[in-house]
Amino acid sequence: QVQLQESGPGLVKPSQTLSLTCTVSGDSLSSGNYYWSWIRQHPGKGLEWIGYIYYSGTTYFNPSLKSRVTISVDTSKNQFSLNLNSVTAADTAVFYCARAKGSDNYLHSFDPWGQGTLVTVSS
Amino acid sequence: QSALTQPASVSGSPGQSITMSCTGTSSDVGSYKLVSWYQQHPGKAPKLMIYEDNKRPSGVSNRFSGSKSGNTASLTISGLQAEDEADYYCCSYAGSSTWVFGGGTELTVL
């Protein structure tokens, strides 16, 4: 049973870089069967897809965040990471990592999800 | 890329059926058979309930069903139960390897 767990600082200062790591257990990032995603949820709001990465390092991002986002993968640790730079209070959110899965040559859903971690941007 | 539109809230009594909508555009919902639905209880992570418009993952009750017409997808829950009270989010592939979610619908079981 695959499980994902987010980790990282819960408080980040404005203009700095938000960095989170997702540790995957029960599945290997190197299996090549999935993409590995970051999704956030502003307090009391809806979900926002940030981007995802394939084990090879191929990445895709939400166009609205693309200029500030980096996602990387460390297959030796079975982890993938998110960096979001130049953060402001508007980036305060719960950040989830999730596995993007599909059939044949396309993805169709996000499952499962990590428990989420709240990151607050404040001085 | 704009968020999909969902009603803020819907409600129903135990045993009843409810349907909630998710409206997108011809660039996302209307173009791909890739709408998924997620259930989120307070303080918990979202859980996949429907994928590819109308498919149920193993372990999800058959009381949950999905459908789509044009640019609007729908989630129907039949035989409403107290445990169904949660927030529900739709999601659609939006082309160019990007995805868009809806703002969520709060389901209240009266």
Side-chain angles (χ1 to χ4, degrees):
Chain A
Q1 175 184 346
V2 61
Q3 292 184 313
L4 294 83
Q5 177 69 58
E6 306 88 352
S7 60
L11 181 64
V12 179
K13 289 181 169 30
S15 80
Q16 294 191 342
T17 296
L18 179 160
S19 297
L20 296 173
T21 295
C22 182
T23 301
V24 180
S25 58
D27 193 5
S28 171
L29 296 187
S30 301
S31 68
N33 295 326
Y34 310 103
Y35 275 70
W36 302 92
S37 315
W38 287 100
I39 297 162
R40 70 178 179 177
Q41 185 171 32
H42 293 103
K45 302 294 185 180
L47 299 164
E48 180 180 32
W49 177 73
I50 297 171
Y52 50 32
I53 189 166
Y54 193 54
Y55 81 99
S56 63
T58 299
T59 52
Y60 297 95
F61 301 114
N62 185 322
S64 68
L65 295 169
K66 187 175 183 177
S67 64
R68 298 196 293 131
V69 174
T70 303
I71 297 178
S72 58
V73 64
D74 186 338
T75 54
S76 67
K77 295 181 179 179
N78 223 36
Q79 296 175 334
F80 62 104
S81 298
L82 169 71
N83 278 356
L84 178 66
N85 60 38
S86 304
V87 297
T88 69
D91 292 307
T92 294
V94 174
F95 287 78
Y96 294 98
C97 56
R99 184 180 66 176
K101 64 180 187 179
S103 307
D104 298 325
N105 294 318
Y106 62 92
L107 300 173
H108 58 54
S109 59
F110 299 95
D111 177 59
W113 298 52
Q115 66 184 27
T117 186
L118 173 63
V119 179
T120 301
V121 178
S122 175
S123 55
Chain B
Q1 189 183 64
S2 299
L4 306 176
T5 300
Q6 298 183 249
S9 62
V10 298
S11 62
S13 299
Q16 288 186 331
S17 293
I18 63 95
T19 297
M20 60 183 74
S21 61
C22 168
T23 301
T25 70
S26 57
S27 297
D28 39 60
V29 174
S31 284
Y32 309 96
K33 196 177 185 294
L34 290 173
V35 172
S36 51
W37 290 88
Y38 301 84
Q39 176 192 65
Q40 185 180 37
H41 287 108
K44 300 295 186 181
K47 173 188 174 184
L48 177 66
M49 305 302 285
I50 296 288
Y51 67 98
E52 290 187 70
D53 290 3
N54 56 19
K55 296 181 180 179
R56 268 190 317 277
S58 174
V60 172
S61 171
N62 59 10
R63 297 186 298 105
F64 291 82
S65 62
S67 62
K68 191 173 74 178
S69 177
N71 298 335
T72 298
S74 298
L75 175 70
T76 297
I77 308 174
S78 60
L80 208 55
Q81 299 178 1
E83 66 203 50
D84 299 332
E85 186 163 291
D87 293 331
Y88 291 83
Y89 294 91
C90 60
C91 176
S92 175
Y93 182 65
S96 301
S97 297
T98 65
W99 297 79
V100 62
F101 283 90
T105 295
E106 180 181 24
L107 169 62
T108 299
V109 180
L110 302 171

